[in-house]
Amino acid sequence: MEALFLTSSSSSIASPTKLLHNRRDWCALVRDKRRLSPTWCRVGGDGRNIKPERSIMVSSLLKDRGQVLIREQSSPAMDAETLVLSPNDNGRAIEINGVKTLLPFSGAAKVGSKEGLGIVSFLQGKKFLITGSTGFLAKVLIEKVLRMAPDVGKIYLLIKAKNKEAAVERLKNEVLNAELFNTLRETHGASYQSFMLDKLVPVTGNICDSNIGLQADSAEEIAKEVDVIINSAANTTFNERYDVALDINTRGPGNLMGFAKKCKKLKLFLQVSTAYVNGQRQGRIMEKPFSMGDCIATENFLEGNRKALDVDREMNLAIDAVRKGNQDQEEAQKMKDLGLERARSYGWQDTYVFTKAMGEMMINSTRGDVPVVIIRPSVIESTYKDPFPGWMEGNRMMDPIVLCYGKGQLTGFLVDPKGVLDVVPADMVVNATLAAIAKHGVAKTDQEPEINVFDNSNTQRLMEYMSEAEKNEFGFDVGNINWKDYITNVHIPGLRKHVLKGRA
Ligand SMILES: NC(=O)c1ccc[n+]([C@@H]2O[C@H](COP(=O)([O-])OP(=O)(O)OC[C@H]3O[C@@H](n4cnc5c(N)ncnc54)[C@H](OP(=O)(O)O)[C@@H]3O)[C@@H](O)[C@H]2O)c1
């Protein structure tokens, strides 16, 4: 997982090294033999200290389907049917007239609000604008913030909906009702809904629209109040129509940054990106932000004539193609093909990662003096332990193959036995995100731009700033994960319980 911090004046980020897989190889499986780890954390910005994590040998993980199933059944703590919520001792509920209600929360005290990075104390009273809250990752983030810092200020959630009522309905159905929030539900008992609706403010909007589609009154309030913006909204379909993917993943972050610049108290803009914005870079890859026009094909000398990527031209190309098309099925396929063709010609694997990379370029080129953190997780999978192991949503990335194999629909598949799984649990992504926010969530500076002033923090270095209590509650040391155990006893049971919902 990469974490880039762009200060108000940085023109580049120091570059620790990393090893990257080529996602085209096979969903999450990696063929690059040089790759040591299933997922990674970055260390200091000086290129030192890359920490190899344990590989999961895919062949040993999945070669014996029977073995996987037997292990599941014989693991009482993590069995799919008996996944138990970890007891939440951050807050206590009492019963009044048979109804659970809330007692004061002690999470902050437990972590020690001022120690280490001061994550909890940073969160207290802060106001957030979060996009993508009906999606997988942002839910895990919202849950963690509300559990660890219930005295956080408002969290505005940008939700696509035709009106305010519809947005509230989506919030209730898709967020509040999610099983992920069971711990909070337990803690708050009868007050759960009122607590959640007091903290979470749904606002209708769309990052593809100018001013992110906000109504004037919401826009004014949020611009006045918000401290941190987190952009988790995306279209994650690898072969989406080019115009659609560009709109959400490239133009969207630009629109949101446009709005961010109007936010008077804004301390940080955090973009959730993906490790695969590195496209077809090979071997050790330097961590650095994208500048407008960067092009992997050119870096790799795949293009003899040093092709330049022009993001505006790409957007115009897509608009023109739509204009000329007749909107039928065949035309939709052409727009998908166009995305893949453009992505590959510039050195990215697919439309998703290409448009996400261009989204980073938009942010970097328009941010002015807005402090920005870019988090680049690899494939995000089920929670490792927080708020309980195995929670996830959706059936994508490596999971369709895992499920087909588990159901016996796929009896085998070719894979490099030395390949590794490049995944990171969702709760660790969230912990790293919150740590990065606390570390870098400082108000805008009025400093004159300086050349090469940058913060080299990355995920590993970030951990060094954390207190022991913070490491316990907000840890993201993927090196400590027993990956085989995680996949077989946490992730696969979680998949069965939360995605298949008990269906065979
Ligand atoms: N999942 C992974 O393995 C992975 C790995 C690395 C990075 N990431 C990044 O992590 C972030 C979150 O991923 P995820 O897995 O949580 O995605 P997800 O489950 O597909 O959720 C996407 C979210 O974005 C929202 N959205 C889409 N278009 C929008 C628009 N025009 N305006 C406002 N909201 C919009 C969706 O809202 P609707 O419900 O209304 O469509 C949904 O809430 C993304 O930025 C993704 O690129 C994901």
Side-chain angles (χ1 to χ4, degrees), residues 432-465:
T433 301
L434 293 175
I437 289 174
K439 171 89 172 65
H440 299 293
V442 288
K444 284 192 256 193
T445 64
D446 296 328
Q447 289 168 353
E448 285 296 304
E450 296 169 42
I451 306 300
N452 286 339
V453 175
F454 46 74
D455 187 313
N456 295 337
S457 295
N458 53 37
T459 41
Q460 200 78 23
R461 171 73 62 86
L462 208 50
M463 260 187 282
E464 292 169 16
Y465 290 97

PDB file of all heavy atoms in Angstrom, residues 432-465:
ATOM      1  N   ALA A 432      -4.508   2.645   7.970  1.00  0.00           N
ATOM      2  CA  ALA A 432      -3.429   3.439   7.364  1.00  0.00           C
ATOM      3  C   ALA A 432      -3.966   4.793   6.899  1.00  0.00           C
ATOM      4  O   ALA A 432      -3.308   5.824   7.047  1.00  0.00           O
ATOM      5  CB  ALA A 432      -2.822   2.672   6.183  1.00  0.00           C
ATOM      6  N   THR A 433      -5.182   4.772   6.378  1.00  0.00           N
ATOM      7  CA  THR A 433      -5.795   6.022   5.914  1.00  0.00           C
ATOM      8  C   THR A 433      -5.980   6.997   7.075  1.00  0.00           C
ATOM      9  O   THR A 433      -5.638   8.180   6.981  1.00  0.00           O
ATOM     10  CB  THR A 433      -7.170   5.712   5.266  1.00  0.00           C
ATOM     11  OG1 THR A 433      -6.949   4.815   4.179  1.00  0.00           O
ATOM     12  CG2 THR A 433      -7.860   6.958   4.766  1.00  0.00           C
ATOM     13  N   LEU A 434      -6.495   6.477   8.191  1.00  0.00           N
ATOM     14  CA  LEU A 434      -6.745   7.362   9.339  1.00  0.00           C
ATOM     15  C   LEU A 434      -5.433   7.868   9.933  1.00  0.00           C
ATOM     16  O   LEU A 434      -5.335   9.025  10.358  1.00  0.00           O
ATOM     17  CB  LEU A 434      -7.595   6.638  10.393  1.00  0.00           C
ATOM     18  CG  LEU A 434      -9.024   6.332   9.927  1.00  0.00           C
ATOM     19  CD1 LEU A 434      -9.769   5.508  10.975  1.00  0.00           C
ATOM     20  CD2 LEU A 434      -9.795   7.623   9.632  1.00  0.00           C
ATOM     21  N   ALA A 435      -4.431   6.990   9.955  1.00  0.00           N
ATOM     22  CA  ALA A 435      -3.132   7.429  10.472  1.00  0.00           C
ATOM     23  C   ALA A 435      -2.564   8.534   9.565  1.00  0.00           C
ATOM     24  O   ALA A 435      -2.037   9.540  10.053  1.00  0.00           O
ATOM     25  CB  ALA A 435      -2.170   6.238  10.540  1.00  0.00           C
ATOM     26  N   ALA A 436      -2.704   8.344   8.258  1.00  0.00           N
ATOM     27  CA  ALA A 436      -2.187   9.351   7.323  1.00  0.00           C
ATOM     28  C   ALA A 436      -2.947  10.664   7.477  1.00  0.00           C
ATOM     29  O   ALA A 436      -2.357  11.750   7.413  1.00  0.00           O
ATOM     30  CB  ALA A 436      -2.301   8.840   5.882  1.00  0.00           C
ATOM     31  N   ILE A 437      -4.240  10.565   7.708  1.00  0.00           N
ATOM     32  CA  ILE A 437      -5.031  11.792   7.880  1.00  0.00           C
ATOM     33  C   ILE A 437      -4.571  12.539   9.134  1.00  0.00           C
ATOM     34  O   ILE A 437      -4.383  13.757   9.120  1.00  0.00           O
ATOM     35  CB  ILE A 437      -6.540  11.449   7.963  1.00  0.00           C
ATOM     36  CG1 ILE A 437      -7.043  11.011   6.586  1.00  0.00           C
ATOM     37  CG2 ILE A 437      -7.348  12.632   8.474  1.00  0.00           C
ATOM     38  CD1 ILE A 437      -8.480  10.509   6.575  1.00  0.00           C
ATOM     39  N   ALA A 438      -4.391  11.785  10.231  1.00  0.00           N
ATOM     40  CA  ALA A 438      -3.968  12.439  11.468  1.00  0.00           C
ATOM     41  C   ALA A 438      -2.581  13.056  11.318  1.00  0.00           C
ATOM     42  O   ALA A 438      -2.292  14.129  11.841  1.00  0.00           O
ATOM     43  CB  ALA A 438      -3.980  11.435  12.618  1.00  0.00           C
ATOM     44  N   LYS A 439      -1.734  12.369  10.577  1.00  0.00           N
ATOM     45  CA  LYS A 439      -0.365  12.866  10.415  1.00  0.00           C
ATOM     46  C   LYS A 439      -0.319  14.114   9.533  1.00  0.00           C
ATOM     47  O   LYS A 439       0.413  15.056   9.796  1.00  0.00           O
ATOM     48  CB  LYS A 439       0.487  11.749   9.779  1.00  0.00           C
ATOM     49  CG  LYS A 439       1.872  12.147   9.343  1.00  0.00           C
ATOM     50  CD  LYS A 439       2.873  11.975  10.478  1.00  0.00           C
ATOM     51  CE  LYS A 439       4.306  12.182  10.019  1.00  0.00           C
ATOM     52  NZ  LYS A 439       4.617  13.530   9.575  1.00  0.00           N
ATOM     53  N   HIS A 440      -1.132  14.096   8.477  1.00  0.00           N
ATOM     54  CA  HIS A 440      -0.995  15.164   7.482  1.00  0.00           C
ATOM     55  C   HIS A 440      -2.148  16.156   7.473  1.00  0.00           C
ATOM     56  O   HIS A 440      -2.140  17.082   6.653  1.00  0.00           O
ATOM     57  CB  HIS A 440      -0.856  14.548   6.086  1.00  0.00           C
ATOM     58  CG  HIS A 440       0.352  13.674   5.968  1.00  0.00           C
ATOM     59  ND1 HIS A 440       1.628  14.168   6.024  1.00  0.00           N
ATOM     60  CD2 HIS A 440       0.480  12.329   5.844  1.00  0.00           C
ATOM     61  CE1 HIS A 440       2.492  13.178   5.922  1.00  0.00           C
ATOM     62  NE2 HIS A 440       1.814  12.048   5.817  1.00  0.00           N
ATOM     63  N   GLY A 441      -3.108  15.936   8.348  1.00  0.00           N
ATOM     64  CA  GLY A 441      -4.282  16.802   8.335  1.00  0.00           C
ATOM     65  C   GLY A 441      -4.028  18.138   9.004  1.00  0.00           C
ATOM     66  O   GLY A 441      -4.670  18.477   9.990  1.00  0.00           O
ATOM     67  N   VAL A 442      -3.108  18.840   8.460  1.00  0.00           N
ATOM     68  CA  VAL A 442      -2.810  20.165   9.010  1.00  0.00           C
ATOM     69  C   VAL A 442      -3.409  21.204   8.077  1.00  0.00           C
ATOM     70  O   VAL A 442      -3.588  20.948   6.895  1.00  0.00           O
ATOM     71  CB  VAL A 442      -1.289  20.390   9.119  1.00  0.00           C
ATOM     72  CG1 VAL A 442      -0.720  19.554  10.231  1.00  0.00           C
ATOM     73  CG2 VAL A 442      -0.610  20.067   7.801  1.00  0.00           C
ATOM     74  N   ALA A 443      -3.681  22.340   8.631  1.00  0.00           N
ATOM     75  CA  ALA A 443      -4.323  23.363   7.814  1.00  0.00           C
ATOM     76  C   ALA A 443      -3.414  23.770   6.663  1.00  0.00           C
ATOM     77  O   ALA A 443      -2.212  23.549   6.687  1.00  0.00           O
ATOM     78  CB  ALA A 443      -4.643  24.570   8.673  1.00  0.00           C
ATOM     79  N   LYS A 444      -4.036  24.363   5.693  1.00  0.00           N
ATOM     80  CA  LYS A 444      -3.272  24.867   4.554  1.00  0.00           C
ATOM     81  C   LYS A 444      -2.196  25.823   5.034  1.00  0.00           C
ATOM     82  O   LYS A 444      -2.389  26.556   5.989  1.00  0.00           O
ATOM     83  CB  LYS A 444      -4.204  25.651   3.629  1.00  0.00           C
ATOM     84  CG  LYS A 444      -5.102  24.795   2.804  1.00  0.00           C
ATOM     85  CD  LYS A 444      -5.744  25.618   1.735  1.00  0.00           C
ATOM     86  CE  LYS A 444      -7.177  25.903   2.084  1.00  0.00           C
ATOM     87  NZ  LYS A 444      -7.962  26.441   0.983  1.00  0.00           N
ATOM     88  N   THR A 445      -1.087  25.796   4.398  1.00  0.00           N
ATOM     89  CA  THR A 445      -0.035  26.742   4.771  1.00  0.00           C
ATOM     90  C   THR A 445      -0.007  27.859   3.739  1.00  0.00           C
ATOM     91  O   THR A 445      -0.425  27.689   2.601  1.00  0.00           O
ATOM     92  CB  THR A 445       1.343  26.059   4.775  1.00  0.00           C
ATOM     93  OG1 THR A 445       1.622  25.661   3.438  1.00  0.00           O
ATOM     94  CG2 THR A 445       1.356  24.876   5.707  1.00  0.00           C
ATOM     95  N   ASP A 446       0.504  28.995   4.182  1.00  0.00           N
ATOM     96  CA  ASP A 446       0.613  30.107   3.243  1.00  0.00           C
ATOM     97  C   ASP A 446       2.018  30.209   2.680  1.00  0.00           C
ATOM     98  O   ASP A 446       2.376  31.198   2.067  1.00  0.00           O
ATOM     99  CB  ASP A 446       0.273  31.428   3.953  1.00  0.00           C
ATOM    100  CG  ASP A 446      -1.173  31.428   4.404  1.00  0.00           C
ATOM    101  OD1 ASP A 446      -1.994  30.799   3.716  1.00  0.00           O
ATOM    102  OD2 ASP A 446      -1.460  32.029   5.449  1.00  0.00           O
ATOM    103  N   GLN A 447       2.823  29.155   2.965  1.00  0.00           N
ATOM    104  CA  GLN A 447       4.213  29.218   2.520  1.00  0.00           C
ATOM    105  C   GLN A 447       4.308  29.415   1.020  1.00  0.00           C
ATOM    106  O   GLN A 447       3.488  28.917   0.264  1.00  0.00           O
ATOM    107  CB  GLN A 447       4.930  27.895   2.837  1.00  0.00           C
ATOM    108  CG  GLN A 447       5.178  27.696   4.286  1.00  0.00           C
ATOM    109  CD  GLN A 447       5.622  26.261   4.537  1.00  0.00           C
ATOM    110  OE1 GLN A 447       5.606  25.422   3.644  1.00  0.00           O
ATOM    111  NE2 GLN A 447       6.009  25.996   5.762  1.00  0.00           N
ATOM    112  N   GLU A 448       5.336  30.093   0.663  1.00  0.00           N
ATOM    113  CA  GLU A 448       5.650  30.197  -0.756  1.00  0.00           C
ATOM    114  C   GLU A 448       6.022  28.807  -1.257  1.00  0.00           C
ATOM    115  O   GLU A 448       6.677  28.048  -0.538  1.00  0.00           O
ATOM    116  CB  GLU A 448       6.865  31.113  -0.953  1.00  0.00           C
ATOM    117  CG  GLU A 448       6.555  32.583  -0.786  1.00  0.00           C
ATOM    118  CD  GLU A 448       5.582  33.051  -1.853  1.00  0.00           C
ATOM    119  OE1 GLU A 448       5.889  32.873  -3.039  1.00  0.00           O
ATOM    120  OE2 GLU A 448       4.517  33.572  -1.481  1.00  0.00           O
ATOM    121  N   PRO A 449       5.629  28.459  -2.429  1.00  0.00           N
ATOM    122  CA  PRO A 449       6.047  27.168  -2.955  1.00  0.00           C
ATOM    123  C   PRO A 449       7.566  27.026  -2.974  1.00  0.00           C
ATOM    124  O   PRO A 449       8.275  27.970  -3.309  1.00  0.00           O
ATOM    125  CB  PRO A 449       5.501  27.177  -4.386  1.00  0.00           C
ATOM    126  CG  PRO A 449       4.424  28.179  -4.363  1.00  0.00           C
ATOM    127  CD  PRO A 449       4.790  29.194  -3.335  1.00  0.00           C
ATOM    128  N   GLU A 450       8.020  25.882  -2.538  1.00  0.00           N
ATOM    129  CA  GLU A 450       9.449  25.607  -2.610  1.00  0.00           C
ATOM    130  C   GLU A 450       9.625  24.379  -3.482  1.00  0.00           C
ATOM    131  O   GLU A 450       8.750  23.539  -3.545  1.00  0.00           O
ATOM    132  CB  GLU A 450      10.020  25.275  -1.221  1.00  0.00           C
ATOM    133  CG  GLU A 450       9.942  26.430  -0.250  1.00  0.00           C
ATOM    134  CD  GLU A 450      10.264  25.956   1.153  1.00  0.00           C
ATOM    135  OE1 GLU A 450      11.211  25.155   1.303  1.00  0.00           O
ATOM    136  OE2 GLU A 450       9.570  26.352   2.080  1.00  0.00           O
ATOM    137  N   ILE A 451      10.738  24.273  -4.082  1.00  0.00           N
ATOM    138  CA  ILE A 451      10.994  23.110  -4.928  1.00  0.00           C
ATOM    139  C   ILE A 451      11.407  21.930  -4.049  1.00  0.00           C
ATOM    140  O   ILE A 451      12.220  22.073  -3.145  1.00  0.00           O
ATOM    141  CB  ILE A 451      12.122  23.414  -5.927  1.00  0.00           C
ATOM    142  CG1 ILE A 451      11.786  24.681  -6.725  1.00  0.00           C
ATOM    143  CG2 ILE A 451      12.367  22.245  -6.866  1.00  0.00           C
ATOM    144  CD1 ILE A 451      10.529  24.611  -7.527  1.00  0.00           C
ATOM    145  N   ASN A 452      10.866  20.810  -4.332  1.00  0.00           N
ATOM    146  CA  ASN A 452      11.266  19.573  -3.669  1.00  0.00           C
ATOM    147  C   ASN A 452      11.111  19.568  -2.167  1.00  0.00           C
ATOM    148  O   ASN A 452      11.880  18.962  -1.445  1.00  0.00           O
ATOM    149  CB  ASN A 452      12.713  19.207  -4.005  1.00  0.00           C
ATOM    150  CG  ASN A 452      12.807  18.695  -5.402  1.00  0.00           C
ATOM    151  OD1 ASN A 452      11.798  18.260  -5.962  1.00  0.00           O
ATOM    152  ND2 ASN A 452      13.982  18.753  -5.974  1.00  0.00           N
ATOM    153  N   VAL A 453      10.163  20.296  -1.664  1.00  0.00           N
ATOM    154  CA  VAL A 453       9.833  20.157  -0.252  1.00  0.00           C
ATOM    155  C   VAL A 453       8.748  19.114  -0.177  1.00  0.00           C
ATOM    156  O   VAL A 453       7.696  19.262  -0.784  1.00  0.00           O
ATOM    157  CB  VAL A 453       9.309  21.476   0.341  1.00  0.00           C
ATOM    158  CG1 VAL A 453       8.860  21.263   1.770  1.00  0.00           C
ATOM    159  CG2 VAL A 453      10.390  22.511   0.260  1.00  0.00           C
ATOM    160  N   PHE A 454       9.010  18.072   0.488  1.00  0.00           N
ATOM    161  CA  PHE A 454       7.994  17.032   0.524  1.00  0.00           C
ATOM    162  C   PHE A 454       8.075  16.260   1.818  1.00  0.00           C
ATOM    163  O   PHE A 454       9.073  16.291   2.528  1.00  0.00           O
ATOM    164  CB  PHE A 454       8.144  16.082  -0.656  1.00  0.00           C
ATOM    165  CG  PHE A 454       9.548  15.625  -0.906  1.00  0.00           C
ATOM    166  CD1 PHE A 454      10.136  14.697  -0.068  1.00  0.00           C
ATOM    167  CD2 PHE A 454      10.250  16.123  -1.974  1.00  0.00           C
ATOM    168  CE1 PHE A 454      11.415  14.268  -0.296  1.00  0.00           C
ATOM    169  CE2 PHE A 454      11.539  15.703  -2.203  1.00  0.00           C
ATOM    170  CZ  PHE A 454      12.130  14.780  -1.370  1.00  0.00           C
ATOM    171  N   ASP A 455       7.025  15.614   2.111  1.00  0.00           N
ATOM    172  CA  ASP A 455       6.978  14.719   3.252  1.00  0.00           C
ATOM    173  C   ASP A 455       7.112  13.309   2.713  1.00  0.00           C
ATOM    174  O   ASP A 455       6.368  12.904   1.833  1.00  0.00           O
ATOM    175  CB  ASP A 455       5.632  14.887   3.972  1.00  0.00           C
ATOM    176  CG  ASP A 455       5.614  14.110   5.247  1.00  0.00           C
ATOM    177  OD1 ASP A 455       6.017  12.941   5.213  1.00  0.00           O
ATOM    178  OD2 ASP A 455       5.182  14.664   6.261  1.00  0.00           O
ATOM    179  N   ASN A 456       8.079  12.591   3.239  1.00  0.00           N
ATOM    180  CA  ASN A 456       8.345  11.259   2.696  1.00  0.00           C
ATOM    181  C   ASN A 456       7.564  10.152   3.375  1.00  0.00           C
ATOM    182  O   ASN A 456       7.860   8.979   3.193  1.00  0.00           O
ATOM    183  CB  ASN A 456       9.830  10.935   2.841  1.00  0.00           C
ATOM    184  CG  ASN A 456      10.668  11.853   2.004  1.00  0.00           C
ATOM    185  OD1 ASN A 456      10.170  12.415   1.043  1.00  0.00           O
ATOM    186  ND2 ASN A 456      11.921  12.010   2.378  1.00  0.00           N
ATOM    187  N   SER A 457       6.639  10.536   4.208  1.00  0.00           N
ATOM    188  CA  SER A 457       5.934   9.497   4.958  1.00  0.00           C
ATOM    189  C   SER A 457       5.307   8.493   4.019  1.00  0.00           C
ATOM    190  O   SER A 457       4.801   8.834   2.994  1.00  0.00           O
ATOM    191  CB  SER A 457       4.814  10.116   5.785  1.00  0.00           C
ATOM    192  OG  SER A 457       5.359  10.940   6.754  1.00  0.00           O
ATOM    193  N   ASN A 458       5.366   7.289   4.423  1.00  0.00           N
ATOM    194  CA  ASN A 458       4.618   6.256   3.745  1.00  0.00           C
ATOM    195  C   ASN A 458       4.107   5.331   4.829  1.00  0.00           C
ATOM    196  O   ASN A 458       4.275   5.616   6.017  1.00  0.00           O
ATOM    197  CB  ASN A 458       5.484   5.520   2.718  1.00  0.00           C
ATOM    198  CG  ASN A 458       6.732   5.038   3.373  1.00  0.00           C
ATOM    199  OD1 ASN A 458       6.700   4.619   4.523  1.00  0.00           O
ATOM    200  ND2 ASN A 458       7.844   5.085   2.672  1.00  0.00           N
ATOM    201  N   THR A 459       3.502   4.282   4.437  1.00  0.00           N
ATOM    202  CA  THR A 459       2.795   3.506   5.442  1.00  0.00           C
ATOM    203  C   THR A 459       3.680   2.957   6.557  1.00  0.00           C
ATOM    204  O   THR A 459       3.265   2.955   7.715  1.00  0.00           O
ATOM    205  CB  THR A 459       2.031   2.352   4.772  1.00  0.00           C
ATOM    206  OG1 THR A 459       2.831   1.795   3.765  1.00  0.00           O
ATOM    207  CG2 THR A 459       0.743   2.824   4.179  1.00  0.00           C
ATOM    208  N   GLN A 460       4.876   2.525   6.217  1.00  0.00           N
ATOM    209  CA  GLN A 460       5.714   1.953   7.269  1.00  0.00           C
ATOM    210  C   GLN A 460       6.228   3.036   8.205  1.00  0.00           C
ATOM    211  O   GLN A 460       6.203   2.882   9.427  1.00  0.00           O
ATOM    212  CB  GLN A 460       6.890   1.207   6.632  1.00  0.00           C
ATOM    213  CG  GLN A 460       7.555   0.194   7.536  1.00  0.00           C
ATOM    214  CD  GLN A 460       6.748  -1.084   7.630  1.00  0.00           C
ATOM    215  OE1 GLN A 460       5.969  -1.369   6.755  1.00  0.00           O
ATOM    216  NE2 GLN A 460       6.928  -1.823   8.703  1.00  0.00           N
ATOM    217  N   ARG A 461       6.678   4.122   7.633  1.00  0.00           N
ATOM    218  CA  ARG A 461       7.182   5.217   8.438  1.00  0.00           C
ATOM    219  C   ARG A 461       6.069   5.757   9.322  1.00  0.00           C
ATOM    220  O   ARG A 461       6.296   6.125  10.474  1.00  0.00           O
ATOM    221  CB  ARG A 461       7.721   6.309   7.506  1.00  0.00           C
ATOM    222  CG  ARG A 461       8.091   7.617   8.196  1.00  0.00           C
ATOM    223  CD  ARG A 461       9.371   7.516   9.012  1.00  0.00           C
ATOM    224  NE  ARG A 461      10.520   7.209   8.207  1.00  0.00           N
ATOM    225  CZ  ARG A 461      11.267   8.117   7.559  1.00  0.00           C
ATOM    226  NH1 ARG A 461      10.951   9.383   7.617  1.00  0.00           N
ATOM    227  NH2 ARG A 461      12.315   7.736   6.868  1.00  0.00           N
ATOM    228  N   LEU A 462       4.883   5.770   8.759  1.00  0.00           N
ATOM    229  CA  LEU A 462       3.720   6.261   9.502  1.00  0.00           C
ATOM    230  C   LEU A 462       3.560   5.493  10.809  1.00  0.00           C
ATOM    231  O   LEU A 462       3.254   6.056  11.855  1.00  0.00           O
ATOM    232  CB  LEU A 462       2.488   6.057   8.622  1.00  0.00           C
ATOM    233  CG  LEU A 462       1.290   6.968   8.774  1.00  0.00           C
ATOM    234  CD1 LEU A 462       1.677   8.425   8.742  1.00  0.00           C
ATOM    235  CD2 LEU A 462       0.304   6.645   7.659  1.00  0.00           C
ATOM    236  N   MET A 463       3.823   4.198  10.732  1.00  0.00           N
ATOM    237  CA  MET A 463       3.657   3.360  11.924  1.00  0.00           C
ATOM    238  C   MET A 463       4.638   3.749  13.027  1.00  0.00           C
ATOM    239  O   MET A 463       4.346   3.605  14.196  1.00  0.00           O
ATOM    240  CB  MET A 463       3.846   1.894  11.555  1.00  0.00           C
ATOM    241  CG  MET A 463       2.535   1.180  11.380  1.00  0.00           C
ATOM    242  SD  MET A 463       2.753  -0.573  11.137  1.00  0.00           S
ATOM    243  CE  MET A 463       3.230  -0.661   9.445  1.00  0.00           C
ATOM    244  N   GLU A 464       5.791   4.246  12.615  1.00  0.00           N
ATOM    245  CA  GLU A 464       6.789   4.613  13.613  1.00  0.00           C
ATOM    246  C   GLU A 464       6.324   5.786  14.464  1.00  0.00           C
ATOM    247  O   GLU A 464       6.798   5.988  15.573  1.00  0.00           O
ATOM    248  CB  GLU A 464       8.122   4.953  12.928  1.00  0.00           C
ATOM    249  CG  GLU A 464       8.780   3.738  12.302  1.00  0.00           C
ATOM    250  CD  GLU A 464       9.950   4.118  11.404  1.00  0.00           C
ATOM    251  OE1 GLU A 464      10.435   5.272  11.496  1.00  0.00           O
ATOM    252  OE2 GLU A 464      10.366   3.259  10.603  1.00  0.00           O
ATOM    253  N   TYR A 465       5.402   6.559  13.937  1.00  0.00           N
ATOM    254  CA  TYR A 465       4.896   7.699  14.692  1.00  0.00           C
ATOM    255  C   TYR A 465       3.799   7.302  15.672  1.00  0.00           C
ATOM    256  O   TYR A 465       3.363   8.102  16.474  1.00  0.00           O
ATOM    257  CB  TYR A 465       4.306   8.753  13.742  1.00  0.00           C
ATOM    258  CG  TYR A 465       5.318   9.475  12.899  1.00  0.00           C
ATOM    259  CD1 TYR A 465       5.572   9.072  11.594  1.00  0.00           C
ATOM    260  CD2 TYR A 465       6.027  10.562  13.406  1.00  0.00           C
ATOM    261  CE1 TYR A 465       6.492   9.741  10.806  1.00  0.00           C
ATOM    262  CE2 TYR A 465       6.949  11.236  12.624  1.00  0.00           C
ATOM    263  CZ  TYR A 465       7.172  10.820  11.322  1.00  0.00           C
ATOM    264  OH  TYR A 465       8.084  11.484  10.540  1.00  0.00           O
TER     265      TYR A 465
END
